[in-house]
């Protein structure tokens, strides 16, 4: 009780309130809310609710204590604020808040009136049926579960009383399901327990370890929070001392001690707190077996340099201690790897043999085979490359695919007579011979491009070239409308243009010259007329016997 009074006095001092607002010490007890009105306002950090002062979230309090919060009117039920370990109230938990009014005969908005501003008369009978099912009613239609009921499947069941079994908070009228029973509070403090028969939450018994554990403290039986101070060793967990009202404050390493229980390490050696129970475990074979504890740590004297020892490495010999307490021997030299291509040249001794590390996979190497290319090391320390591909025959008269031998590709000859191309445009019928050479017969140039080129020519780069005949050489340009055709200096044949005048004495009219026919004429006389040699068309004789007679229509000259 003295501890609680001292705490209350400290809180009042820290508030620094004006004298006119500071109530008596009994009024400040949060577990007994005092009355309030306009003439007697609440302290700072408290709110006046329904004529009673209720603490707000963050207000100073005694750790583990609880206080009611929220309205208790109509369908509204108060919740609980719990004082945390830091000495301030937390949020309001479990309060039933005001809701919108519905036709259910209840004060849903907690203002003292029932179903106000609603037209519930016509739906009265239907709403009555809804109420028996524990459901809300809006204009005669059943809705969700009423306050005081919870949903289980399609049904609304009455919330359960304190001490009755439950599976979740919604099943309980209090809003708290603790360890399978309805409880009057959340009962979440590590030093709180809910009575499963009465459904009430209270402080756990003095000496309880707490859930979760309050270590290094034990519950003191007065509140729900873990204590933060102790008065005697019995207030602390087993093996923990109460020093200066704090559990676990034992002596540090190196501090003078008389018994091990005084030390945080649990070991008092040579009159001071030590990190080990005894100094009899030297760090190596080159230290004296017995050591001493100084400044909380064991120290050991090195053996004389040259003292024989065992460094626990079977691959060393002549193991001796040096003047720093290190045991070492001679290690064999490892410089003969399995191969120098894919292993590093220097290895290490593992106690039984030399171990060599591999070069990185992909490192360039030589496998000694001239018929492979791109040789690299693999992850197993082997050097290898890809086979040389022989697919570049030396000529058209060798097989395209060959074989590699000694780093050189060999290609078999194709059969004699195999068609090929010797790359010379002035040969024809190219074929391979028995020596792998491609060749053909010379191209014969005996087809002159025109009458004005010599008939026999020469071949150059696959093209026959014929010399021009001398200018003036007689030729025929094949055009009946020219005459006197001769070769020109450019190798073309041509002549003078032929004229085609009318042949009047023969009664012929010129139509011009046709390249293949020459001069073309039209006869101006019909088939019943003849030309009289003077350019006139006369009627033919009426009979053969009178052929010599002139027709009367033909004039005489």
């Amino acid at each position: 009780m003295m501890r609680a009074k001292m705490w209350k006095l400290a809180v009042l001092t820290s508030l620094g309130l004006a004298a006119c607002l500071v109530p008596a010490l009994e009024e400040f007890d949060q577990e007994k809310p005092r009355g309030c009105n306009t003439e007697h306002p609440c302290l700072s950090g408290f709110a006046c609710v329904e004529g009673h002062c209720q603490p707000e979230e963050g207000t100073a309090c005694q750790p583990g204590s609880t206080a009611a919060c929220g309205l208790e009117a109509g369908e509204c039920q108060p919740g609980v604020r719990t004082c945390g370990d830091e000495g301030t109230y937390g949020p309001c938990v479990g309060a039933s808040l005001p809701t919108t009014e519905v036709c259910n005969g209840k004060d849903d908005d907690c203002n003292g009136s029932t179903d106000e501003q609603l037209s519930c008369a016509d739906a009265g009978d239907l709403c009555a049926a809804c109420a028996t099912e524990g459901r809300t009613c809006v204009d005669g239609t059943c809705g969700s579960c009423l306050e005081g009921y919870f949903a289980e499947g399609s049904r609304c069941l009455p919330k359960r009383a304190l001490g009755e079994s439950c599976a979740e908070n919604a099943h309980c009228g209090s809003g708290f399901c603790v360890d399978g029973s309805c409880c009057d509070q959340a009962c979440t403090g590590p030093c709180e327990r809910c009575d499963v028969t009465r459904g009430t939450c209270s402080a756990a018994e003095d000496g309880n370890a707490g859930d979760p554990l309050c270590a290094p403290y034990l519950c003191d039986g007065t509140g729900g929070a873990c204590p933060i101070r102790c008065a005697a060793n019995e207030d602390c967990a087993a093996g923990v001392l109460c020093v200066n009202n704090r559990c676990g404050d034992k002596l540090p390493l190196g501090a003078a001690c008389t018994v091990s229980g005084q030390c945080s390490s649990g070991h008092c050696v040579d009159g001071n707190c030590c990190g080990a129970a005894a100094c009899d475990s030297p760090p190596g074979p080159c230290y004296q077996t017995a050591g001493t504890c100084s400044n909380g740590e064991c120290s050991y004297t090195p053996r004389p340099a040259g003292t024989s020892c065992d460094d626990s490495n079977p691959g060393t010999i002549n193991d001796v201690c040096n003047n720093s307490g290190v045991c070492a021997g001679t290690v064999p030299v490892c410089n003969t790897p399995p191969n120098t291509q894919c292993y590093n040249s220097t290895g290490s001794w593992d106690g039984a043999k030399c171990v060599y590390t591999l070069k990185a996979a992909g490192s360039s190497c030589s496998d000694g085979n001239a018929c492979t290319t791109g040789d690299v090391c693999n992850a197993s320390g082997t050097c290898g490359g890809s086979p040389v591909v022989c697919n570049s025959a030396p000529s058209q008269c060798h097989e395209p695919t060959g074989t590699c031998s000694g780093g050189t590709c060999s290609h078999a000859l194709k059969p004699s007579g195999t068609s090929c191309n010797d790359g010379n445009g002035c040969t024809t019928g190219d074929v391979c011979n028995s020596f792998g050479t491609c060749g053909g017969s010379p191209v014969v140039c005996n087809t002159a491009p025109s009458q004005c080129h010599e008939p026999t020519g020469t071949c150059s780069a696959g093209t026959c070239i014929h010399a021009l005949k001398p200018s003036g050489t007689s030729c025929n340009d094949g055009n009946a409308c020219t005459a006197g055709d001769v070769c020109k200096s450019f190798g073309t044949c041509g002549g003078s243009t032929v004229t085609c005048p009318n042949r009047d004495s023969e009664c012929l009219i010129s139509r011009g010259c046709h390249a293949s026919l020459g001069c073309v004429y039209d006869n101006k006389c019909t088939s019943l007329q003849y030309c009289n040699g003077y350019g006139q068309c006369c009627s033919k004789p009426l009979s053969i016997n009178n052929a010599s007679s002139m027709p009367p229509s033909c004039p005489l000259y």
Side-chain angles (χ1 to χ4, degrees), residues 85-239:
D85 295 341
E86 71 281 2
T88 59
Y89 276 114
C92 185
V93 178
S96 299
L97 302 178
T99 59
T100 303
E101 283 288 342
V102 295
C103 292
N104 57 5
K106 296 182 180 182
D107 181 12
D108 299 300
D109 56 7
C110 308
N111 66 350
S113 299
T114 301
D115 298 344
E116 69 271 22
Q117 298 180 356
L118 297 176
S119 298
C120 302
D122 295 340
D125 294 340
L126 293 175
C127 286
C130 293
T132 61
E133 296 178 8
R135 296 186 179 277
T136 60
C137 182
V138 179
D139 296 332
T141 300
C142 295
S144 58
C145 294
L146 291 168
E147 290 292 332
Y149 289 80
F150 68 90
E152 184 173 85
S154 61
R155 299 183 302 163
C156 291
L157 301 179
K159 291 190 176 182
R160 293 163 185 171
L162 297 178
E164 293 186 358
S165 63
C166 59
E168 55 185 82
N169 290 339
H171 292 174
C172 302
S174 64
F176 304 106
C177 181
V178 180
D179 298 330
S181 296
C182 291
C183 195
D184 63 343
Q185 300 178 31
C187 215
T188 56
C191 289
E192 288 181 324
R193 298 293 180 270
C194 189
D195 188 311
V196 296
T197 302
R198 295 179 298 168
T200 55
C201 183
S202 59
E205 69 276 8
D206 187 14
N208 189 287
D211 183 16
L213 294 176
C214 290
Y217 295 89
L218 297 175
C219 296
D220 58 11
T222 62
C226 289
I228 57 175
R229 299 177 63 80
C230 61
N233 291 343
E234 291 75 16
D235 296 335
C236 304

Side-chain angles (χ1 to χ4, degrees), residues 217-285:
Y217 295 89
L218 297 175
C219 296
D220 58 11
T222 62
C226 289
I228 57 175
R229 299 177 63 80
C230 61
N233 291 343
E234 291 75 16
D235 296 335
C236 304
V240 180
L241 299 178
C242 179
V243 180
N244 296 327
N245 299 115
R246 295 183 66 84
C247 291
D249 287 347
K250 293 190 177 184
L251 297 174
L253 293 176
C257 61
T258 55
V259 294
S260 295
Q262 295 175 319
C263 302
S264 60
S265 65
H267 308 298
C268 184
V269 180
D270 299 332
N272 63 83
C273 291
C274 193
C279 294
D280 56 4
S281 301

Side-chain angles (χ1 to χ4, degrees), residues 7-17 22-26 28 43:
W7 174 84
K8 292 177 181 177
L9 183 59
V11 172
L12 283 174
T13 303
S14 66
L15 288 175
L17 300 173
V22 178
L25 185 62
E26 290 74 13
F28 191 79
L43 294 172

